[in-house]
Amino acid sequence: GVAAGAESFLSFVRPSSMQQAGNLIGLPWDDLFNVLENPDQLNPEWIKENEATLIQQLKILCGTLQVKTEFLKISQVALSVDEATFAVGQLVAYEPEAVSRLPLADEVVTSLACSLRRGWEIHHGVGKFAANALTVLVTCESAEKKLRTKAC
């Protein structure tokens, strides 16, 4: 379930990310994955209310998506990239306008582009999920124009 997905993701990112991003343990990963798996709960108000935490989580997720290609041969890394693609892609696909206004929106697009390029090496669904999220962003007329252009 959701908790298992978050736990699996965290089991890989915890050691290196704690050094890079501070105290990961205090971030409510289960809350994020619960909302992502029930996207009817995902709305601009939720993003605004959880923005500070979401930004910290997105920093870690985006870093995961930018992993070097040679590390994708490690099954735990590939699984983490798959799960991070789901998390970032789900946010963008369901709330492209709100995500486009976050301070690290540019990083989100860069990271999804990395997942689009490298995701095929994990599973065709990873690349397709990233492509879909970027397509939704590009076609969302209310999203930031600069970001829509970058997502092309």
Side-chain angles (χ1 to χ4, degrees), residues 68-123:
K68 292 184 178 186
T69 306
E70 55 266 21
F71 292 121
L72 295 177
K73 295 176 183 166
I74 302 168
S75 62
Q76 197 171 15
V77 174
L79 177 61
S80 294
V81 170
D82 184 355
E83 292 172 348
T85 300
F86 166 75
V88 177
Q90 193 80 331
L91 283 166
V92 172
Y94 278 89
E95 285 301 330
E97 180 180 357
V99 172
S100 78
R101 301 193 191 307
L102 291 174
L104 72 156
D106 194 67
E107 184 76 10
V108 167
V109 171
T110 298
S111 300
L112 281 172
C114 287
S115 186
L116 173 58
R117 284 190 307 277
R118 299 176 184 144
W120 303 101
E121 296 183 35
I122 299 169
H123 183 273

Side-chain angles (χ1 to χ4, degrees), residues 3 7 9 14 17 19-20 30 39 41 50 82 85 92 113 123 126 133 137 142:
E7 185 177 308
F9 173 73
R14 228 180 237 143
S17 296
Q19 296 168 357
Q20 297 172 4
D30 287 345
Q41 299 173 25
N50 296 283
D82 184 355
T85 300
V92 172
H123 183 273
V126 177
L137 179 61
S142 58

Side-chain angles (χ1 to χ4, degrees), residues 38-58:
N38 299 293
D40 55 312
Q41 299 173 25
L42 187 55
N43 55 54
E45 294 77 29
W46 184 89
I47 290 176
K48 187 163 182 72
E49 289 170 12
N50 296 283
E51 185 172 339
T53 300
L54 184 59
I55 287 171
Q56 292 303 310
Q57 291 168 321
L58 279 170

